[in-house]
Amino acid sequence: MQNEANNKRYIDLATSHLSDLLGLFRNAASLQLITNDFSAQEQGLYRADKIRDMLTTIGLAHTPRTLQDVYKRQENLIARHQGTGKNQLFWFSDFQKSTVGDLSALKIDTANQLFIVPVQAVPEKNVFVDSAWLNTPFIRELQNNVLFVKVSNSGKEEAKNVVLKLNLDNTQASTASVNVPANGSATAKFNFNLKGKGYKKGQITFDDFPVTFDNDYYFVLNASPVIRILHIYGQKTSANYIQNVYANDSLFALQSYSAGNVDQGLIKNADMVILEGVDQISGSLPQELQDFVLKGGSVSVIPPASPDAGSYAAFLQNMGINGLSVENNSAPAPIAIATPDRNNPFFSDVFEESIRQEMNLNLPSASPVWTWNNVGQQLLSLRNGQQYLSQITRGNGKVYLFSAPLSAEYGSMAQHAIFVPVMYKMAAMSVRAQRTAFTFDENPIALNIDKVTPNAVYKLRRNKVEIIPVQRITGNQLLLEIPQGDQLGEGLDAGYFELLLDNKVEQLIALNHNNKESKLDYYSPEELKTIFAGQKNVQIFDSLNDDAFSQEFQQQNMGTSLWKYFLYAALFFLLVEIALIRFKD
């Protein structure tokens, strides 16, 4: 309704004609005004002059409502105030197809007369941001990062040379220009660097008229988030290879426990779990790990020298890995690892460019203690064709399966230069892809929290205004239901919201309005007449742009006032009678 016709916004046209219509009901005392806000003020009955005053305060609302919701609310309010009876309902709208819902399922009670007054909107063009995402699961400071932004055009005209600006913490960081075809989309690419860790406020902005409410898109980036690694060991190597990889880098938070002394509740809060040298996997641990992987976590399995075939076969089978065969490897004979596919995205930043071109790399060796059926992606293999390291996708997570222990008698992998970047890459890929933004109607929104506090009450704050949304905690996820319409409160428009716990900022999130309102496709009066053809109590006007709308309504539904004609006729006959008397004399 922000669109324009003859330099007048559609919402202003609608309120103007509604004001004219009120002139026909100037003596009515039970009028009701409803907007998409569904506010408390709209639940009352008022006189025409009060409704006319309310019209002056109507603004654009971001909350889409289906016409089923609108009609249901009207029926409920009518029943509350005056019960059954003949009621007249007027709908002034652009009848946007993306928001009005299924009109064919809308049945108007025959006790009600519905007048549909469509705005004749013309869908020329409207550009809006559909989504934004990173090229990697996480971003690091002072490194080149890439953001992709999908831009859509819901109009019938191509949008040429749309300049998009990327702002980070209120500073312009990059720009991109795209041509967006009619009823199509285009993807813009932004390269940027970040200074400092933590949450960064991102914004995509551009100029597009006359519909401007969707010219800004807000998102949040978390620079260099800590990667949480849980190390569960059985046969622990004296060289402490895992601790040496992760313990000395601030990017990682490493916790190490023996298999018999680990709190399995720590699993759900980790990004990656490393099982190293655990002889037998039993109890509730297999189920905990399976649930962890299905929900997006990563598990790395490094076998012991003599793994329990039965427990591991059952565990790995539930992870989608079949055919596990444990070998009798009492006398290890390491075999060199074959040159990996350096074009594999897994190795994109493992090898330097100069090394990438070398045909024969100096690679470590390994002596497998088990094999399995080929499944997933084989990252590293031995020169005899046996698997060494495979990546298997399961649910939303990943399983990394090694074929040999890390101890020196089973090979030189852990002592080789490739070991650290491979383990780093596995940890980096274990981070769940950052959710950069949410929408207000996405109820509930799910946020990962590090520590679950019993009876905690989280708040959302923006522009010093705080709200307490309906909330619940499931596992390590906080589920929030965002208020809708006027329940959201003043000053809580699209933008950045702080998640508070005990007045401490725990996270920063970005909320945008649903892009349904951005899709400019409308029902024409002809389409509406076809849809409501079987309902005689529904009348559809052809155009809201007709200045004589109220007169047309009056003529079609209230009849033509004939008292003027009777008065003219009475005066005419009076003059005739006077003339006859004079001529008679």
Side-chain angles (χ1 to χ4, degrees):
M1 295 288 278
Q2 193 179 45
N3 226 324
E4 294 182 356
N6 299 322
N7 297 322
K8 290 191 69 174
R9 298 186 308 171
Y10 292 146
I11 190 171
D12 297 329
L13 288 171
T15 54
S16 174
H17 286 293
L18 184 52
S19 180
D20 293 341
L21 184 65
L22 287 173
L24 304 178
F25 300 98
R26 62 176 62 90
N27 296 322
S30 56
L31 298 175
Q32 187 181 85
L33 176 68
I34 293 178
T35 70
N36 272 26
D37 276 335
F38 282 12
S39 67
Q41 184 186 19
E42 296 172 357
Q43 298 184 37
L45 296 179
Y46 303 97
R47 296 184 60 83
D49 54 349
K50 175 63 176 177
I51 296 291
R52 185 174 276 110
D53 291 339
M54 293 169 64
L55 289 178
T56 63
T57 65
I58 289 180
L60 295 165
H62 292 286
T63 306
R65 306 284 187 186
T66 66
L67 290 180
Q68 287 95 330
D69 292 338
V70 172
Y71 182 59
K72 183 177 179 180
R73 185 170 179 85
Q74 285 183 306
E75 280 197 311
N76 290 339
L77 295 178
I78 288 171
R80 180 190 309 174
H81 289 291
Q82 59 189 71
T84 59
K86 192 71 173 179
N87 302 289
Q88 292 178 304
L89 311 178
F90 296 84
W91 288 353
F92 292 80
S93 172
D94 54 6
F95 293 93
Q96 199 168 2
K97 291 183 178 180
S98 59
T99 61
V100 297
D102 183 8
L103 296 186
S104 63
L106 185 58
K107 305 302 178 184
I108 306 301
D109 192 316
T110 54
N112 298 322
Q113 179 71 35
L114 173 61
F115 301 95
I116 290 180
V117 190
V119 177
Q120 288 293 278
V122 179
E124 295 178 353
K125 68 177 180 65
N126 182 46
V127 176
F128 60 95
V129 173
D130 183 275
S131 55
W133 66 96
L134 296 163
N135 70 321
T136 56
F138 74 109
I139 56 177
R140 299 196 67 172
E141 58 179 329
L142 302 178
Q143 291 189 8
N144 184 52
N145 300 285
V146 179
L147 177 75
F148 293 100
V149 176
K150 181 181 178 182
V151 184
S152 296
N153 175 14
S154 64
K156 294 183 178 180
E157 295 181 3
E158 180 184 10
K160 298 181 179 179
N161 300 320
V162 179
V163 178
L164 307 174
K165 299 177 182 178
L166 169 64
N167 296 326
L168 295 173
D169 284 343
N170 299 317
T171 301
Q172 184 171 314
S174 184
T175 61
S177 177
V178 292
N179 295 320
V180 192
N183 292 314
S185 61
T187 299
K189 178 181 178 181
F190 295 92
N191 295 289
F192 65 95
N193 289 300
L194 290 177
K195 293 182 180 179
K197 298 180 180 180
Y199 293 103
K200 307 295 179 183
K201 297 178 179 178
Q203 181 184 13
I204 299 295
T205 184
F206 53 90
D207 293 326
D208 180 47
F209 297 98
V211 180
T212 61
F213 77 90
D214 52 6
N215 285 6
D216 296 286
Y217 181 85
Y218 302 92
F219 61 95
V220 171
L221 301 177
N222 188 7
S224 298
V226 173
I227 301 175
R228 300 160 297 183
I229 297 175
L230 178 62
H231 177 213
I232 302 175
Y233 59 85
Q235 299 173 6
K236 188 177 181 182
T237 60
S238 58
N240 293 328
Y241 295 119
I242 299 300
Q243 288 91 329
N244 291 340
V245 170
Y246 296 118
N248 297 320
D249 193 324
S250 60
L251 180 62
F252 306 105
L254 176 68
Q255 293 179 293
S256 290
Y257 297 92
S258 67
N261 196 37
V262 64
D263 176 6
Q264 294 182 14
L266 297 173
I267 292 175
K268 61 186 179 184
N269 291 325
D271 292 305
M272 182 168 72
V273 176
I274 299 177
L275 287 180
E276 182 193 7
V278 178
D279 290 329
Q280 184 178 30
I281 180 168
S282 58
S284 60
L285 182 59
Q287 187 62 49
E288 290 286 344
L289 291 174
Q290 183 179 347
D291 293 343
F292 172 68
V293 171
L294 290 175
K295 293 178 180 178
S298 294
V299 171
S300 298
V301 181
I302 303 171
S306 300
D308 179 75
S311 65
Y312 270 105
F315 167 63
L316 293 176
Q317 187 174 11
N318 288 331
M319 293 291 194
I321 305 169
N322 298 311
L324 185 73
S325 176
V326 175
E327 300 181 356
N328 183 9
N329 199 352
S330 57
I335 302 172
I337 291 177
T339 301
D341 178 6
R342 281 162 282 191
N343 293 321
N344 187 321
F346 182 89
F347 297 105
S348 60
D349 47 10
V350 170
F351 299 106
E352 294 181 1
E353 190 61 34
S354 57
I355 298 178
R356 236 175 232 285
Q357 308 304 323
E358 295 183 16
M359 296 299 295
N360 298 312
L361 295 179
N362 177 22
L363 292 171
S365 60
S367 180
V369 298
W370 59 20
T371 60
W372 59 90
N373 293 344
N374 283 329
V375 63
Q377 188 176 15
Q378 191 164 299
L379 300 178
L380 292 172
S381 60
L382 305 181
R383 289 186 179 176
N384 65 359
Q386 281 186 277
Q387 310 104 319
Y388 176 72
L389 173 60
S390 291
Q391 173 187 287
I392 300 95
T393 299
R394 184 69 170 171
N396 294 319
K398 296 181 179 67
V399 178
Y400 294 95
L401 184 58
F402 289 81
S403 67
L406 296 181
S407 54
E409 59 265 35
Y410 287 90
S412 57
M413 178 67 178
Q415 299 88 32
H416 194 276
I418 197 177
F419 180 63
V420 171
V422 165
M423 298 304 291
Y424 266 42
K425 192 60 178 280
M426 288 165 50
M429 294 182 68
S430 71
V431 178
R432 278 82 157 177
Q434 287 190 30
R435 183 69 187 273
T436 58
F438 301 88
T439 59
F440 280 102
D441 65 339
E442 187 180 340
N443 275 330
I445 65 171
L447 303 174
N448 291 323
I449 52 178
D450 293 330
K451 296 180 180 179
V452 177
T453 305
N455 302 317
V457 177
Y458 289 86
K459 300 179 182 179
L460 289 177
R461 180 173 66 191
R462 173 168 163 76
N463 297 334
K464 299 182 179 179
V465 178
E466 295 182 1
I467 58 174
I468 302 178
V470 176
Q471 57 196 267
R472 66 183 187 276
I473 294 177
T474 302
N476 64 330
Q477 281 195 328
L478 172 64
L479 305 178
L480 299 177
E481 295 185 14
I482 307 300
Q484 301 293 305
D486 74 317
Q487 300 174 6
L488 191 59
E490 295 293 331
L492 296 183
D493 203 350
Y496 313 104
F497 288 73
E498 296 172 322
L499 180 69
L500 304 178
L501 179 61
D502 297 329
N503 292 321
K504 179 185 177 183
V505 178
E506 297 287 329
Q507 293 186 36
L508 184 68
I509 65 172
L511 284 170
N512 295 285
H513 293 291
N514 191 299
N515 60 24
K516 287 182 180 179
E517 288 283 355
S518 300
K519 298 174 181 178
L520 307 185
D521 192 14
Y522 314 97
Y523 283 107
S524 67
E526 290 71 24
E527 290 175 314
L528 293 171
K529 289 176 181 178
T530 300
I531 293 171
F532 291 99
Q535 302 188 56
K536 295 182 179 180
N537 57 326
V538 178
Q539 181 178 343
I540 296 152
F541 288 86
D542 286 326
S543 175
L544 179 66
N545 299 325
D546 183 6
D547 293 333
F549 162 71
S550 58
Q551 289 91 332
E552 182 183 350
F553 168 78
Q554 184 179 26
Q555 291 173 8
Q556 292 186 21
N557 298 279
M558 294 182 170
T560 303
S561 299
L562 300 178
W563 63 270
K564 296 180 181 179
Y565 300 104
F566 284 107
L567 179 59
Y568 296 149
L571 292 174
F572 172 75
F573 287 115
L574 179 59
L575 291 174
V576 170
E577 184 176 357
I578 293 173
L580 290 174
I581 292 173
R582 285 187 176 182
F583 288 128
K584 184 177 181 182
D585 294 341

